[in-house]
Amino acid sequence: MAKTHTQASISNQPPNKKKSSLSEKTKEAISGYIYISPFFILFAIFGLFPILFSFYLGFQSWNGLGEMKFVGLQNFEWILTDPLFWKSLSNTLIMWVLGTLPQLIIGIILAYALNSALIRFKSFFRVSIFMPYVTSTVAVAIVFGIMFNDQDFGLINVILGWFGVDPVSWSTTEWGVKIAISTMVFWRWIGYNTIIYLAGLQAIPNELYEAAKIDGATTRQKIQYITIPMLRPILILTVFTSTIGALQLFTEPLVYIGRTYREEGITVVLYLYREAFVNLAYGPASAAAIILFFIIIVLSAINVFVANRIGK
Amino acid sequence: MKKWLSMMSLFILVLALVACSNDGAEGEGGDGGSDGETVELDFAVFGSTGYDVLIEEYQKANPNVKITLSEGEMNDVHNNLFTSISAGSGAPDIALIEVSQIAKFMQAQDRFYNLNDYGAEEISGNYLDWKWQQAQSVDASFQIGLPTDIGPTTMFYRTDVMEAAGLPTDREEVAAQINSWDAYYEAAKTIKAETGKPISDAPQMVFNALRDQQDQQYFNEDDELIAEDTVKEAYDYTTKMIEEGLIGQNALWTPEWGTAMAEGSYATMPGAPGWMVANVKGNAPDAGGKWDIAAIPEGAGNWGGSFLTIPKESEHPEEAYAFISWLTAPEQQLKSFTNNGLFPSTPDVYENEEFLAATDDYFSGAPTAKIFAEAAKSVKPVYMGVNYAIVDTEINTALTNVAVEGADPQAEWDAAMERIKEQLERQ
């Protein structure tokens, strides 16, 4: 460290000027950068480098060991003409809708309930609703996998049986797999989003509500004209994080459908994982990652557009 | 602005240099061990090998060697190994590789020591030929690993279910009556009619049992896909039985599959190797005495087993080789069998009195060692190929679709072949 300083100070010496120690301001700046450097260093090693490397790999043919061979756009062509890739994309989007939309809507309702004066044991409820978020994803997937057992004696199938519904094969049917996985996502993230909404609700100054009350606003009007507009930044945040999270859905389907990579439940990230680490086709896998990157950008842009219209 | 940018970059550069210089320091003091220095070896394994006991024994005899064992889940261990040899750092001194993955690592020959350089050729006679060949390059010049255990296949069966169906329960008689796959099919119909139970609960078990009996499986030695000519028959046989309701729907390794073992909801487990014994005992601890083992119809195949390899990164190949050649020697393989049920790949042991005397009360007192040894003798070498797992996964998907969805077998087979070709193209 000390060495760095002296070197830096020497290298920053403007010529023909009396040697002086660093100015206070520069010193402060340096210490500031040193304090924040761990993140940037770690990001450079574990974030930036892999990102750039996969952009490079997207144009190569490589099995992880041998020579890399430049193949131009071949990988992209493969991915874009692979029906399974499109299937994985549509799976991801369907699970996104199934898992995310209800989550956000119910999250707001729950947050509203937790914030109202009518509920006792608030802290208890707040903690318990947040609990799913801190459980391990793998554990969640295993437990849900047991609940969504294909057999007649699986928990969910038994419950459905009470209502006279035939047992569903949760691990092989088109909708069964998606509903099971979306349920896991919903269960795990609902608490997280609720707590964020709750924080947002509590940040709304009470004077606004009081003023509205004096003006004779109904509850519906209060929600429409105060709560939703004031929550907008929070809404945008949750929609964004949920979208990106849903598009990167990986652990739940991997644990739930196991290493069968069945097409009913394969997500984009699972697809590229299989491509890279199971089939050792790193080029196409990187190409798929790049394509996913652009898809996320496009969807985020749409999100911004939509979110900006909320509460207008 | 410029000032702090240069400052920042310099700082990162220094840190990066510091981070990198650590690696260099470790390189010093290589080639140690000859003059009383302690040699440390990292040893990565998967599953329950029971090697820790043997390592202690070895360390007592060789005080200058210290071996650190790390255990993990099979897929993870292989993925980690692949990643580290591809990155060129982080591999252990000794790595255990499973037979279905060995071909994949053979592609990376240059990342492993050729054990022939250390005298592997002299001891090749201790092992079964086919097993030895699986870890050998096609021209026999390169030996990537030494054989540990093998998985010769037999047929486990439930005596209670067989009895209820009016079939023999004695292992000799079972083997005599169910001596072909046609007889197996007939037995399945009898069991279904008498007890309502399937003859096997997992489509994969039947398919794998048949597949493992073929001389060639998914690929020929030029890595061309030949599944259509080799295992399509096995697939057709399995799907026919599924469609007639003679095979259950469970997928291997699932909780339901384990439950079925405990409940005895089916009659036989064809194609079960030695290491499956531990699985059955684990899943059905209370079913002792209700299981037995017979020879599999039409000759045994092999399912599983592993090899010990030394990645190039190791700085102590000689010490590592000394250890693995000791660990895979007949005496130690015998110990592994008595301790942990890993069936030896050294045929000399099969003549050993102590070994042959091994029986298992759980399996109605069956002479397990004798049965597996008999099976091991009829196993033929099979070339598995680099992309074995891709084909296997897709065929399993097809079988599951037939079993669970009632899909059309031929259409599923074609779709699976389509998916396989799609993936192979990209290699």
Side-chain angles (χ1 to χ4, degrees):
Chain A
M1 285 293 154
K3 207 162 120 190
T4 323
H5 278 216
T6 49
Q7 275 187 353
S9 61
I10 290 163
S11 68
N12 279 305
Q13 283 296 323
N16 59 42
K17 202 176 175 187
K18 190 168 96 225
K19 191 171 189 283
S20 66
S21 66
L22 295 170
S23 72
E24 258 336 283
K25 212 172 161 189
T26 325
K27 269 189 186 160
E28 248 175 48
I30 292 175
S31 71
Y33 285 118
I34 291 175
Y35 276 116
I36 59 170
S37 64
F39 166 76
F40 286 100
I41 292 166
L42 288 174
F43 177 74
I45 298 170
F46 296 104
L48 193 63
F49 169 71
I51 292 170
L52 297 176
F53 190 51
S54 65
F55 266 90
Y56 173 74
L57 268 183
F59 300 93
Q60 308 283 333
S61 162
W62 189 49
N63 67 358
L65 285 170
E67 292 293 301
M68 289 190 197
K69 203 167 85 236
F70 180 78
V71 291
L73 291 171
Q74 163 112 69
N75 292 330
F76 292 89
E77 192 188 328
W78 264 335
I79 295 293
L80 293 174
T81 54
D82 183 358
L84 188 61
F85 173 74
W86 295 106
K87 179 98 178 88
S88 74
L89 191 58
S90 77
N91 285 347
T92 311
L93 295 177
I94 290 170
M95 288 187 225
W96 171 45
V97 173
L98 282 181
T100 308
L101 272 187
Q103 202 189 114
L104 299 183
I105 293 164
I106 293 171
I108 291 189
I109 295 170
L110 280 176
Y112 211 84
L114 285 176
N115 199 30
S116 75
L118 303 171
I119 291 190
R120 300 174 60 187
F121 309 121
K122 268 188 203 154
S123 307
F124 166 76
F125 282 115
R126 284 172 193 176
V127 171
S128 45
I129 200 157
F130 196 68
M131 284 295 264
Y133 178 68
V134 296
T135 42
S136 133
T137 319
V138 173
V140 173
I142 290 173
V143 172
F144 273 76
I146 294 169
M147 284 165 50
F148 284 99
N149 187 316
D150 291 348
Q151 312 279 346
D152 309 357
F153 52 76
L155 184 65
I156 305 284
N157 278 341
V158 169
I159 294 171
L160 287 179
W162 297 338
F163 300 100
V165 182
D166 287 335
V168 178
S169 176
W170 295 107
S171 66
T172 57
T173 47
E174 195 66 53
W175 284 99
V177 175
K178 292 187 178 63
I179 289 171
I181 293 173
S182 303
T183 311
M184 291 174 217
V185 174
F186 175 85
W187 186 83
R188 185 170 151 75
W189 288 95
I190 182 85
Y192 175 84
N193 286 315
T194 303
I195 297 293
I196 290 184
Y197 286 140
L198 186 59
L201 286 174
Q202 289 177 337
I204 300 174
N206 237 339
E207 292 81 7
L208 290 176
Y209 289 114
E210 282 162 6
K213 208 169 173 179
I214 291 164
D215 290 344
T218 60
T219 311
R220 205 188 68 86
Q221 283 171 322
K222 273 192 221 169
I223 292 177
Q224 192 181 342
Y225 294 107
I226 299 171
T227 314
I228 301 278
M230 295 294 280
L231 266 186
R232 215 176 76 210
I234 305 280
L235 281 173
I236 293 172
L237 171 81
T238 54
V239 169
F240 261 54
T241 50
S242 314
T243 304
I244 293 171
L247 289 171
Q248 297 179 335
L249 189 59
F250 169 71
T251 316
E252 288 93 342
L254 178 71
V255 177
Y256 181 66
I257 59 178
R259 295 176 194 275
T260 60
Y261 307 104
R262 288 184 65 87
E263 58 176 46
E264 292 88 355
I266 197 169
T267 60
V268 179
V269 182
L270 196 52
Y271 173 88
L272 71 91
Y273 169 85
R274 185 196 70 161
E275 209 56 43
F277 299 103
V278 182
N279 299 354
L280 304 184
Y282 286 89
S286 300
I290 295 166
I291 293 167
L292 176 64
F293 171 74
F294 284 112
I295 290 170
I296 290 182
I297 288 183
V298 169
L299 283 174
S300 300
I302 295 172
N303 266 337
V304 174
F305 181 73
V306 172
N308 276 334
R309 306 184 76 82
I310 291 179
K312 279 261 167 86
Chain B
M1 198 68 178
K2 261 206 179 119
K3 210 168 179 174
W4 68 255
L5 256 178
S6 63
M7 198 83 96
M8 192 64 198
S9 49
L10 194 73
F11 180 56
I12 287 181
L13 192 75
V14 169
L15 256 163
L17 285 172
V18 169
C20 294
S21 63
N22 271 349
D23 283 354
E26 282 175 29
E28 291 161 33
D31 310 327
S34 49
D35 39 12
E37 278 182 64
T38 305
V39 176
E40 296 199 4
L41 298 174
D42 291 327
F43 184 13
V45 303
F46 52 86
S48 53
T49 52
Y51 284 157
D52 44 344
V53 184
L54 292 167
I55 286 174
E56 268 176 42
E57 190 183 327
Y58 186 78
Q59 288 180 161
K60 275 205 186 89
N62 303 274
N64 67 327
V65 181
K66 187 175 175 305
I67 298 162
T68 318
L69 188 71
S70 64
E71 294 179 320
E73 191 270 334
M74 182 177 139
N75 283 303
D76 296 342
V77 170
H78 287 102
N79 286 347
N80 290 348
L81 178 63
F82 194 87
T83 312
S84 42
I85 61 168
S86 125
S89 105
D93 293 291
I94 303 162
L96 185 71
I97 300 181
E98 210 254 0
V99 59
S100 64
Q101 304 255 6
I102 196 84
K104 184 165 107 175
F105 288 96
M106 282 294 281
Q107 282 185 302
Q109 256 173 234
D110 55 321
R111 314 282 171 122
F112 289 89
Y113 284 102
N114 183 354
L115 302 183
N116 284 343
D117 301 343
Y118 295 87
E121 258 164 317
E122 284 94 83
I123 54 170
S124 63
N126 292 344
Y127 303 92
L128 293 160
D129 289 345
W130 58 265
K131 176 76 176 177
W132 187 257
Q133 282 161 20
Q134 281 172 324
Q136 199 175 52
S137 59
V138 177
D139 64 359
S141 66
F142 191 91
Q143 189 68 30
I144 195 173
L146 296 181
T148 58
D149 63 317
I150 54 168
T153 56
T154 61
M155 184 168 80
F156 295 2
Y157 63 95
R158 292 278 299 210
T159 49
D160 51 350
V161 180
M162 296 293 272
E163 194 169 4
L167 291 164
T169 55
D170 173 76
R171 60 190 79 95
E172 298 293 328
E173 289 173 37
V174 169
Q177 174 151 358
I178 305 179
N179 60 357
S180 69
W181 289 106
D182 290 338
Y184 188 79
Y185 171 71
E186 292 304 323
K189 286 207 288 201
T190 310
I191 293 165
K192 183 84 185 167
E194 297 295 328
T195 65
K197 291 178 178 176
I199 192 163
S200 167
D201 71 326
Q204 265 172 281
M205 287 299 291
V206 178
F207 174 78
N208 290 358
L210 282 148
R211 176 201 65 199
D212 292 337
Q213 292 175 332
Q214 308 303 320
D215 301 346
Q216 290 190 302
Q217 293 181 8
Y218 300 146
F219 294 96
N220 65 13
E221 308 229 336
D222 303 328
D223 274 330
E224 290 159 338
L225 183 68
I226 49 168
E228 191 77 45
D229 314 324
T230 53
V231 297
K232 178 67 165 57
E233 212 175 315
Y235 176 86
D236 289 343
Y237 177 91
T238 311
T239 50
K240 182 178 112 183
M241 287 189 62
I242 293 172
E243 290 189 313
E244 294 182 22
L246 305 174
I247 300 180
Q249 298 186 344
N250 292 334
L252 286 185
W253 320 120
T254 54
E256 324 48 303
W257 178 71
T259 313
M261 269 185 217
E263 290 176 350
S265 50
Y266 59 95
T268 70
M269 201 190 221
W275 49 258
M276 188 61 92
V277 167
N279 267 299
V280 175
K281 286 179 182 172
N283 280 316
D286 305 330
K290 291 180 183 167
W291 284 95
D292 205 331
I293 306 180
I296 188 169
E298 302 187 20
N302 179 71
W303 185 17
S306 308
F307 300 89
L308 290 172
T309 62
I310 308 175
K312 261 278 155 59
E313 280 171 51
S314 174
E315 285 160 6
H316 311 289
E318 278 162 28
E319 288 84 354
Y321 179 79
F323 170 66
I324 64 173
S325 57
W326 175 87
L327 188 62
T328 55
E331 305 78 51
Q332 278 61 248
Q333 291 224 10
L334 179 55
K335 286 177 200 160
S336 290
F337 178 71
T338 37
N339 296 347
N340 256 54
L342 299 183
F343 192 80
S345 54
T346 48
D348 292 356
V349 173
Y350 308 163
E351 313 299 323
N352 181 307
E353 290 301 318
E354 183 197 349
F355 172 78
L356 288 174
T359 60
D360 195 332
D361 291 341
Y362 184 95
F363 286 90
S364 315
T368 42
K370 213 181 239 153
I371 297 173
F372 287 123
E374 220 29 67
K377 285 175 188 167
S378 64
V379 173
K380 300 172 289 268
V382 172
Y383 177 77
M384 294 177 96
V386 181
N387 298 314
Y388 194 86
I390 294 179
V391 182
D392 205 43
T393 304
E394 295 301 352
I395 290 181
N396 283 336
T397 302
L399 284 170
T400 309
N401 288 346
V402 174
V404 180
E405 309 283 296
D408 173 56
Q410 188 56 47
E412 282 297 333
W413 172 267
D414 295 338
M417 286 300 129
E418 202 49 53
R419 292 194 300 265
I420 291 163
K421 284 175 189 141
E422 184 84 38
Q423 289 171 59
L424 292 181
E425 243 177 40
R426 302 181 185 174
Q427 294 296 308

